Amino acid sequence: MKKIANLALGIMLGAVSMAGNAHATADIEDSETLILACQSLLDNGAAEGSKGAACKDFVTGLVLAQEDALTIGEPFRAHRMGPKEDQNACFEMPDKLSYRDFAQQVVSYAGDNPDMRSRPAYELAVRALERKYPCDPEDLKELPGADSPAE
């Protein structure tokens, strides 16, 4: 059942991006920009063309960028993260992740981890999702050079 739910999430996100927003991850590269976009989504919504829409487009692009590497039902894995690009991370894709939930997780994680403001947006997003939906530590051990999720 979880595999079907993850597939449904992927299809939903794919449908949303059909309007040409699949490249949206290129529009937000740094954490500060992602935080501002996600805060705007929380404050004002994500209407097309709004600042909040960039947060929505970012998470859609994040998932779509990984669709060729993901196996349905398997954790989302990220490599070459951290200041020395020697860290890995993973999270279990939830059955349902609203854009508002994603935005709240990004803003909250950035508030709790101010050092993440200087990291790439992709890393902030993955770390925020990893904190909320951690993968089984055994799944992370399958990544080269990984022992446990970063804190």
Side-chain angles (χ1 to χ4, degrees):
M1 185 66 164
K2 186 174 182 181
K3 290 180 183 182
I4 292 171
N6 285 339
L7 178 60
L9 176 67
I11 291 170
M12 177 203 65
L13 291 175
V16 169
S17 72
M18 293 304 276
N21 292 327
H23 70 284
T25 56
D27 294 342
I28 296 180
E29 294 182 9
D30 63 275
S31 289
E32 283 294 336
T33 305
L34 180 60
I35 295 163
L36 290 172
C38 290
Q39 187 63 59
S40 181
L41 184 149
L42 293 170
D43 294 342
N44 305 310
E48 189 66 33
S50 71
K51 289 181 182 179
C55 178
K56 177 181 79 169
D57 293 342
F58 183 87
V59 70
T60 300
L62 176 76
V63 172
L64 289 177
Q66 295 293 319
E67 76 180 337
D68 290 337
L70 287 176
T71 301
I72 295 175
E74 293 292 319
F76 184 107
R77 295 179 175 112
H79 308 278
R80 295 184 293 281
M81 295 178 53
K84 295 181 182 178
E85 297 184 0
D86 61 347
Q87 299 173 8
N88 297 305
C90 75
F91 61 88
E92 296 284 345
M93 184 62 82
D95 292 339
K96 181 179 179 185
L97 177 64
S98 73
Y99 297 121
R100 188 168 192 73
D101 288 344
F102 172 75
Q104 183 60 52
Q105 290 168 33
V106 165
V107 170
S108 175
Y109 189 84
D112 294 343
N113 299 279
D115 57 313
M116 288 302 298
R117 291 180 173 273
S118 65
R119 304 297 309 142
Y122 173 80
E123 186 172 343
L124 170 60
V126 168
R127 295 294 187 200
L129 291 169
E130 179 183 47
R131 175 171 78 174
K132 179 74 175 180
Y133 309 106
C135 68
D136 183 319
E138 291 300 313
D139 290 329
L140 192 57
K141 287 181 180 179
E142 295 173 15
L143 294 173
D147 293 321
S148 63
E151 295 184 22

